[in-house]
mmCIF file of all heavy atoms in Angstrom:
data_model
loop_
_atom_site.group_PDB
_atom_site.id
_atom_site.type_symbol
_atom_site.label_atom_id
_atom_site.label_comp_id
_atom_site.label_asym_id
_atom_site.label_seq_id
_atom_site.Cartn_x
_atom_site.Cartn_y
_atom_site.Cartn_z
ATOM 1 N N SER A 170 -8.872 -3.460 22.126
ATOM 2 C CA SER A 170 -7.745 -3.158 23.005
ATOM 3 C C SER A 170 -8.125 -2.152 24.078
ATOM 4 O O SER A 170 -9.178 -1.505 24.006
ATOM 5 C CB SER A 170 -6.577 -2.592 22.188
ATOM 6 O OG SER A 170 -6.856 -1.261 21.789
ATOM 7 N N GLN A 171 -7.245 -2.004 25.043
ATOM 8 C CA GLN A 171 -7.472 -1.034 26.113
ATOM 9 C C GLN A 171 -7.459 0.391 25.574
ATOM 10 O O GLN A 171 -8.173 1.260 26.062
ATOM 11 C CB GLN A 171 -6.392 -1.195 27.185
ATOM 12 C CG GLN A 171 -6.600 -0.303 28.410
ATOM 13 C CD GLN A 171 -5.557 -0.584 29.490
ATOM 14 O OE1 GLN A 171 -4.696 -1.436 29.329
ATOM 15 N NE2 GLN A 171 -5.640 0.133 30.595
ATOM 16 N N ASP A 172 -6.666 0.631 24.532
ATOM 17 C CA ASP A 172 -6.570 1.977 23.968
ATOM 18 C C ASP A 172 -7.823 2.383 23.202
ATOM 19 O O ASP A 172 -8.193 3.550 23.156
ATOM 20 C CB ASP A 172 -5.362 2.082 23.020
ATOM 21 C CG ASP A 172 -4.047 2.090 23.777
ATOM 22 O OD1 ASP A 172 -4.044 2.518 24.948
ATOM 23 O OD2 ASP A 172 -3.036 1.666 23.210
ATOM 24 N N GLY A 173 -8.472 1.439 22.542
ATOM 25 C CA GLY A 173 -9.618 1.750 21.710
ATOM 26 C C GLY A 173 -9.181 2.202 20.323
ATOM 27 O O GLY A 173 -7.983 2.312 20.030
ATOM 28 N N PRO A 174 -10.130 2.477 19.431
ATOM 29 C CA PRO A 174 -9.808 2.847 18.052
ATOM 30 C C PRO A 174 -8.946 4.111 17.996
ATOM 31 O O PRO A 174 -9.054 4.984 18.864
ATOM 32 C CB PRO A 174 -11.179 3.095 17.412
ATOM 33 C CG PRO A 174 -12.151 2.374 18.286
ATOM 34 C CD PRO A 174 -11.578 2.431 19.675
ATOM 35 N N PRO A 175 -8.079 4.211 16.993
ATOM 36 C CA PRO A 175 -7.235 5.400 16.888
ATOM 37 C C PRO A 175 -8.032 6.632 16.472
ATOM 38 O O PRO A 175 -9.096 6.527 15.850
ATOM 39 C CB PRO A 175 -6.232 5.018 15.801
ATOM 40 C CG PRO A 175 -6.968 4.034 14.947
ATOM 41 C CD PRO A 175 -7.838 3.260 15.902
ATOM 42 N N ASP A 176 -7.511 7.791 16.820
ATOM 43 C CA ASP A 176 -8.143 9.045 16.392
ATOM 44 C C ASP A 176 -7.931 9.282 14.906
ATOM 45 O O ASP A 176 -8.775 9.888 14.235
ATOM 46 C CB ASP A 176 -7.569 10.217 17.198
ATOM 47 C CG ASP A 176 -7.856 10.099 18.679
ATOM 48 O OD1 ASP A 176 -9.041 10.182 19.053
ATOM 49 O OD2 ASP A 176 -6.902 9.881 19.453
ATOM 50 N N VAL A 177 -6.789 8.803 14.384
ATOM 51 C CA VAL A 177 -6.450 9.033 12.987
ATOM 52 C C VAL A 177 -5.621 7.861 12.477
ATOM 53 O O VAL A 177 -4.892 7.224 13.246
ATOM 54 C CB VAL A 177 -5.669 10.362 12.812
ATOM 55 C CG1 VAL A 177 -4.338 10.318 13.541
ATOM 56 C CG2 VAL A 177 -5.481 10.719 11.344
ATOM 57 N N LEU A 178 -5.754 7.567 11.194
ATOM 58 C CA LEU A 178 -4.946 6.545 10.540
ATOM 59 C C LEU A 178 -4.335 7.157 9.286
ATOM 60 O O LEU A 178 -5.044 7.694 8.439
ATOM 61 C CB LEU A 178 -5.801 5.337 10.160
ATOM 62 C CG LEU A 178 -5.147 4.261 9.289
ATOM 63 C CD1 LEU A 178 -3.975 3.610 10.018
ATOM 64 C CD2 LEU A 178 -6.172 3.201 8.870
ATOM 65 N N PHE A 179 -2.994 7.099 9.186
ATOM 66 C CA PHE A 179 -2.284 7.595 8.009
ATOM 67 C C PHE A 179 -2.077 6.432 7.038
ATOM 68 O O PHE A 179 -1.551 5.384 7.418
ATOM 69 C CB PHE A 179 -0.925 8.176 8.409
ATOM 70 C CG PHE A 179 -1.013 9.480 9.154
ATOM 71 C CD1 PHE A 179 -1.097 9.502 10.538
ATOM 72 C CD2 PHE A 179 -1.004 10.685 8.468
ATOM 73 C CE1 PHE A 179 -1.171 10.700 11.229
ATOM 74 C CE2 PHE A 179 -1.075 11.897 9.144
ATOM 75 C CZ PHE A 179 -1.160 11.908 10.526
ATOM 76 N N VAL A 180 -2.469 6.650 5.764
ATOM 77 C CA VAL A 180 -2.410 5.590 4.746
ATOM 78 C C VAL A 180 -1.687 6.104 3.506
ATOM 79 O O VAL A 180 -2.117 7.082 2.897
ATOM 80 C CB VAL A 180 -3.825 5.123 4.346
ATOM 81 C CG1 VAL A 180 -3.742 3.978 3.342
ATOM 82 C CG2 VAL A 180 -4.628 4.699 5.572
ATOM 83 N N PRO A 181 -0.598 5.453 3.092
ATOM 84 C CA PRO A 181 0.104 5.874 1.869
ATOM 85 C C PRO A 181 -0.768 5.665 0.628
ATOM 86 O O PRO A 181 -1.579 4.738 0.577
ATOM 87 C CB PRO A 181 1.326 4.956 1.823
ATOM 88 C CG PRO A 181 1.451 4.390 3.196
ATOM 89 C CD PRO A 181 0.074 4.330 3.760
ATOM 90 N N ILE A 182 -0.563 6.512 -0.369
ATOM 91 C CA ILE A 182 -1.319 6.417 -1.616
ATOM 92 C C ILE A 182 -0.372 6.220 -2.787
ATOM 93 O O ILE A 182 0.515 7.047 -3.024
ATOM 94 C CB ILE A 182 -2.157 7.687 -1.863
ATOM 95 C CG1 ILE A 182 -3.171 7.883 -0.739
ATOM 96 C CG2 ILE A 182 -2.880 7.595 -3.213
ATOM 97 C CD1 ILE A 182 -3.933 9.202 -0.836
ATOM 98 N N GLY A 183 -0.544 5.098 -3.491
ATOM 99 C CA GLY A 183 0.138 4.872 -4.757
ATOM 100 C C GLY A 183 -0.867 5.110 -5.864
ATOM 101 O O GLY A 183 -1.061 6.226 -6.329
#
Side-chain angles (χ1 to χ4, degrees):
S170 74
Q171 185 176 0
D172 288 333
D176 297 294
V177 63
L178 172 63
F179 289 90
V180 183
I182 299 174

